[in-house]
Amino acid sequence: SDYKISKNYSGKINDEYGIVEFMDIHSEGYYYLKKYPNKRKNVVIRSHTPFGLLKQYFNKTELKGVDTWFAFEREKKCFNWAGSITTPSKDLKKRICDMYSIDYDKVQVIPNLLDTNHFSPKDMEDNQDFTILHVGRFERAKGVETLIKSFITLSKKFNNLKLINVGTPRGPSFNKCMGLLKKNKLDQKVIFTGFVDYPDLPEFYAKADIVIVPSEIYESFSYTVAQGMACGKPVIASKIGGIPETMNHGDAGFLFEPGNVDQLSDNIETLYRDEQLRKRLGE
């Protein structure tokens, strides 16, 4: 079915000679670039995170049914066939140029856009609890196990912590984390909202004291980091991929080594104890 869709798509723009932009590399882009060599100079690939880079951060179970032997070679061909490439961060530019043997001059860095009319500071904090917000899929690669372990550690010191998880739980990590929370009698202090529509996201940022982005998978650009900053919240995020470019350490929050529970806990405690620091970082 993927082949049929790609062939049908390609036929619909058979007579197109303008600029064609593909988001990442999927079958339709590969099919188009392979079929029309004379149009390659007009093709732009907007690369977020190619699979050849991303697969390094998944375990075997997570790659089952997803990994394909030809993915890397297909990406390499497309990157080299395309007239130009854009990435949302300098880090991703360097990585794909080195990994796929691409000329550095061929790749331009254009950070992702964020609607700061939609995501903006609003005073809706819950004064009774210290609210920690995590936005993203609740799965191992997003660092949720590290986050839950940190939350349990800190909840033994401070009894007014609350954790809100916005996003869809995936894989075995949800059951594992719920087991840990129930064992420590903290499951009532952690909220799982499930998927939240885009128009409703700012309300969750507004109610948070801090935003956590604990990713252990490569992030070329974290929308959660950018959204938290735009909403005037201090952010604690993994030092991975393009995140440091978006959120300079100490300027809008703190960075920590991915998977390091102690570092994350120390950063959360620092912000918990210092309201003025939270305010300054948020501003």
Side-chain angles (χ1 to χ4, degrees), residues 121 143 159 166 175 202 213 253:
N159 61 11
V166 173
N175 292 332
V213 185

Side-chain angles (χ1 to χ4, degrees), residues 10-77:
S10 178
K12 289 183 182 299
I13 58 169
N14 180 44
D15 297 326
E16 176 61 57
Y17 279 88
I19 295 172
V20 178
E21 182 179 41
F22 292 100
M23 186 179 74
D24 290 313
I25 296 168
H26 301 290
S27 293
E28 72 276 11
Y30 176 70
Y31 188 92
Y32 183 84
L33 285 162
K34 185 179 180 180
K35 185 176 181 180
Y36 302 111
N38 60 317
K39 298 183 181 182
R40 290 173 183 172
K41 64 181 180 180
N42 290 337
V43 171
V44 180
I45 295 175
R46 173 61 169 175
S47 180
H48 290 90
T49 308
F51 187 70
L53 173 58
L54 203 61
K55 66 180 291 185
Q56 302 171 30
Y57 296 86
F58 287 117
N59 58 40
K60 290 183 178 179
T61 302
E62 292 163 339
L63 286 172
K64 189 176 181 180
V66 177
D67 192 15
T68 53
W69 65 268
F70 57 83
F72 179 84
E73 290 301 323
R74 184 176 65 179
E75 288 177 339
K76 186 174 182 179
K77 286 180 180 179

Side-chain angles (χ1 to χ4, degrees), residues 95-112:
R95 284 174 180 264
I96 66 172
C97 286
D98 293 346
M99 182 177 289
Y100 297 95
S101 302
I102 302 167
D103 188 337
Y104 270 63
D105 292 336
K106 187 176 181 176
V107 185
Q108 302 300 318
V109 178
I110 305 174
N112 289 334

